[in-house]
Amino acid sequence: MMKKSMMIALLALAFCACGDQKGGTNSSLLQNDSIENLQRENDMLRQEQDELLSTLNEIEDGFREINEAQGRLTVARRGEGANAQERIRENMQYIQETMKQNAELIEKLKSQLKASGSKSKELQHTIENLMAQMDQKNAEINQLRHELEAKNIRIDELEQQTATLHEDVSSLQQQSQQQTQTISQQDRQLNAAWYVVGSKRELKDHNILRSGKVLQEGFDASYFTEIDIRNVSRINLHSKSVKVLTTHPNGSYTLERDASKVYTLVINDYRQFWSTSKYLVVQVK
């Protein structure tokens, strides 16, 4: 509609200009260059009209692109996540840049109209409508900016809550890992036991046997082998002569001999066997 008004105004401008030139031609029929002057002036007028119309087309294209970007921005605002925010920023930046270009084009149109010397009311009215449309768009964009700022605050808050939640989850995972490690360590300690199989001399050398007594203060604990009592039910003694020096409940173990009469200590009930001592000392020859 605005373009149609602009075209009418331009045609009116051309008609008035041609009418004036016709009078000028009649008054200068006796001059040899009258036709050339008229053609030259008509060409200049046509060029001015083309420039005005081209500028108007650019302005209207700008408003169309702004409307399309507003539509994309509205769709993006319904989305969530980093992609939606990026699309919002891109479309908002595009709208602002196009608005600036349109404002410059309207100023250019005003300058072109002034340079043409036209007093057309239709052209003036068209420019006023364009300026009013710019004011309306500026108001819409400002409103969008305020809404986006408010939304960005909510998004920031959500991101902060999400980050806090991740931190909480990470902290809980660390606590869980620590607890798991602690439980595993406690479980290992609860089910750990140590045994040693050695000659009388070896046991004395490591202060495991001293003055006929076993496991007195200061014995060499590093000489023992650590085991998980749940997983060990047989201990090969590699000897035909053995003596269990530590105290363990009767019936909780047996000493078995193979065909070579070499002993193996068999634990029948590991909980009962290790209930009185977590150390097993076997003297062999």
Side-chain angles (χ1 to χ4, degrees):
M1 188 67 181
M2 186 175 293
K3 184 180 288 188
K4 183 177 179 182
S5 300
M6 185 68 170
M7 288 294 296
I8 293 172
L10 291 172
L11 289 173
L13 175 62
F15 177 78
C16 292
C18 290
D20 290 342
Q21 294 302 324
K22 183 178 180 181
T25 303
N26 290 334
S27 64
S28 58
L29 287 175
L30 299 178
Q31 298 181 18
N32 293 330
D33 59 348
S34 59
I35 295 177
E36 293 179 4
N37 289 338
L38 178 61
Q39 183 64 47
R40 186 163 48 250
E41 291 174 3
N42 283 340
D43 288 343
M44 290 177 60
L45 178 60
R46 187 175 297 107
Q47 184 179 356
E48 290 175 355
Q49 293 170 353
D50 289 343
E51 290 177 355
L52 288 168
L53 186 58
S54 176
T55 303
L56 177 64
N57 285 334
E58 288 185 63
I59 294 171
E60 291 197 337
D61 286 343
F63 279 126
R64 175 181 54 77
E65 291 172 1
I66 290 170
N67 289 334
E68 291 175 355
Q70 282 181 270
R72 293 193 299 271
L73 194 148
T74 300
V75 172
R77 287 170 61 197
R78 300 192 188 111
E80 296 180 356
N83 291 336
Q85 294 182 54
E86 184 62 26
R87 289 197 300 272
I88 288 172
R89 284 192 291 267
E90 289 175 354
N91 283 290
M92 196 64 182
Q93 183 178 0
Y94 181 78
I95 289 172
Q96 291 173 339
E97 291 174 354
T98 310
M99 287 286 289
K100 181 181 178 182
Q101 292 173 3
N102 256 22
E104 293 172 353
L105 287 170
I106 291 174
E107 289 300 317
K108 178 182 177 181
L109 185 62
K110 290 165 65 177
S111 299
Q112 288 173 332
L113 182 60
K114 184 178 180 181
S116 71
S118 172
K119 303 295 183 181
S120 171
K121 291 183 179 180
E122 288 292 339
L123 287 172
Q124 294 289 348
H125 183 65
T126 298
I127 291 176
E128 290 173 1
N129 285 341
L130 290 172
M131 294 175 67
Q133 192 170 347
M134 279 294 295
D135 290 339
Q136 180 182 351
K137 283 296 175 189
N138 276 323
E140 292 175 4
I141 300 309
N142 285 332
Q143 179 64 28
L144 273 174
R145 189 179 292 109
H146 292 320
E147 292 176 4
L148 290 176
E149 287 175 356
K151 183 176 181 181
N152 284 337
I153 292 174
R154 289 196 296 272
I155 290 173
D156 290 342
E157 291 174 351
L158 179 60
E159 289 176 347
Q160 185 177 2
Q161 292 173 1
T162 303
T164 302
L165 179 60
H166 286 321
E167 290 177 359
D168 292 342
V169 171
S170 178
S171 178
L172 286 173
Q173 288 176 339
Q174 290 178 355
Q175 291 178 10
S176 177
Q177 290 175 354
Q178 291 174 353
Q179 289 175 351
T180 300
Q181 291 174 355
T182 301
I183 292 172
S184 177
Q185 184 177 2
Q186 291 174 345
D187 182 69
R188 186 176 63 83
Q189 290 175 348
L190 288 172
N191 292 283
W194 296 263
Y195 77 90
V196 64
V197 178
S199 66
K200 186 174 184 179
R201 171 51 57 187
E202 290 172 336
L203 296 178
K204 284 185 175 182
D205 289 343
H206 292 278
N207 288 323
I208 297 170
L209 180 62
R210 189 166 66 240
S211 300
K213 296 182 180 180
V214 68
L215 298 179
Q216 297 298 300
E217 185 177 356
F219 69 89
D220 186 2
S222 65
Y223 194 61
F224 285 76
T225 298
E226 182 178 352
I227 61 170
D228 186 324
I229 61 176
R230 296 167 296 184
N231 301 327
V232 177
S233 60
R234 300 176 67 88
I235 299 175
N236 294 322
L237 303 179
H238 306 290
S239 177
K240 297 179 180 180
S241 176
V242 302
K243 182 179 181 181
V244 179
L245 300 183
T246 47
T247 302
H248 301 276
N250 293 329
S252 65
Y253 72 97
T254 55
L255 292 171
E256 294 182 355
R257 290 195 296 180
D258 60 16
S260 300
K261 297 186 178 181
V262 173
Y263 280 97
T264 297
L265 187 145
V266 179
I267 300 173
N268 301 321
D269 183 341
Y270 75 88
R271 293 186 184 279
Q272 186 181 9
F273 179 82
W274 297 106
S275 63
T276 55
S277 174
K278 286 298 183 73
Y279 285 90
L280 167 64
V281 178
V282 180
Q283 178 181 320
V284 297
K285 291 183 179 180

